[in-house]
């Protein structure tokens, strides 16, 4: 596993929430195990700066559907005030230097669309702290991890997706996703 005590590198934990883990409304295979592995990584102290993203839906419009297409529309998930919106145990919000909430009133896949509870964007928060490199882990590799990594590169960060610390909705699409990420100058690592 790539780890660093370099304060210019941040660990970004994407959407490891109850609704995206086994038993949740949009469960991704391996999500619960991933939550435990991320907690172990956090406990190791390998990163000086750690942040998380969370889907935080109030009324995201057509993002929710009773007949979802699983491309643009999805069953209701991560609704504010429900257990599904919380980080999956043993993860807790207080383990992170900042948590970025996204998608209250519209679809939001990238953590860079999120804000802290005080309204600070992820890009601004990271830049203010001198972060230049992001190690991205979480759920789902092929949706929100992908979007966060691509936006991170667009925001000028060096980005590494640690694929062994992610869970994908459709693992068969990972070869094409790796190529897309690499084309955007995002490094893909197994560990």
């Amino acid at each position: 596993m790539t780890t660093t005590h370099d304060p210019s590198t941040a660990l970004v934990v994407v959407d490891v929430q109850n609704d995206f883990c086994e038993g949740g409304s949009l469960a991704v295979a391996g999500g619960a195990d991933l939550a435990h592995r991320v907690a172990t990584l956090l406990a190791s102290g390998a990163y000086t700066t750690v942040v998380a993203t969370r889907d935080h839906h109030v009324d995201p419009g057509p993002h929710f559907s009773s007949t979802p297409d699983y491309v643009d529309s999805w069953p209701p998930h991560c609704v504010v005030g429900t257990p599904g919106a919380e980080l999956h145990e043993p993860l807790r919000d207080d383990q992170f230097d900042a948590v970025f909430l996204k998608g209250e009133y519209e679809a939001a896949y990238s953590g860079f669309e999120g804000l802290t509870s005080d309204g600070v964007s992820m890009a601004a928060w990271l830049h203010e702290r001198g972060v230049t490199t992001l190690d991205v882990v979480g759920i789902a590799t092929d949706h929100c991890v992908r979007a966060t990594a691509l936006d991170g590169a667009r925001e000028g960060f060096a980005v590494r997706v640690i694929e062994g610390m992610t869970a994908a909705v459709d693992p068969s699409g990972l070869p094409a996703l790796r190529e897309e990420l690499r084309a955007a100058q995002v490094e893909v690592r197994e560990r």
Side-chain angles (χ1 to χ4, degrees):
M1 176 76 207
T2 299
T3 58
T4 180
H5 291 281
D6 178 353
S8 69
T9 299
L11 179 67
V12 179
V13 178
V14 177
D15 298 0
V16 184
Q17 295 169 262
N18 289 328
D19 271 347
F20 298 137
C21 294
E22 291 83 352
S25 64
L26 273 177
V28 176
D33 178 61
L34 177 62
H36 288 277
R37 289 186 289 129
V38 169
T40 299
L41 178 59
L42 295 178
S44 76
Y47 290 88
T48 303
T49 304
V50 293
V51 300
T53 70
R54 285 180 39 206
D55 262 14
H56 192 72
H57 298 310
V58 175
D59 180 8
H63 184 60
F64 282 178
S65 174
S66 58
T67 56
D69 62 15
Y70 296 94
V71 176
D72 296 312
S73 62
W74 305 86
H77 59 278
C78 301
V79 174
V80 173
T82 68
E86 299 304 316
L87 292 174
H88 193 282
E89 290 184 3
L91 298 177
R92 303 178 320 275
D93 284 357
D94 65 4
Q95 293 171 296
F96 297 93
D97 297 310
V99 176
F100 299 90
L101 307 174
K102 58 190 178 68
E104 286 188 352
Y105 296 100
E106 60 190 1
Y109 295 91
S110 170
F112 285 90
E113 296 175 85
L115 301 171
T116 64
S117 58
D118 328 354
V120 178
S121 74
M122 188 155 79
W125 192 96
L126 293 166
H127 284 305
E128 285 171 8
R129 284 152 183 82
V131 171
T132 58
T133 302
L134 308 178
D135 284 349
V136 183
V137 302
I139 304 172
T141 321
D142 38 353
H143 292 282
C144 296
V145 168
R146 171 191 169 273
T148 300
L150 291 172
D151 279 356
R154 281 191 277 276
E155 290 285 347
F157 295 97
V159 181
R160 301 180 291 221
V161 171
I162 313 302
E163 191 176 323
M165 292 287 288
T166 67
V169 171
D170 180 11
S172 71
L174 291 178
L177 174 59
R178 287 182 201 111
E179 291 308 311
E180 177 187 13
L181 292 172
R182 288 181 180 127
Q185 306 304 308
V186 173
E187 184 180 348
V188 180
R189 293 185 176 179
E190 177 56 30
R191 298 219 171 276

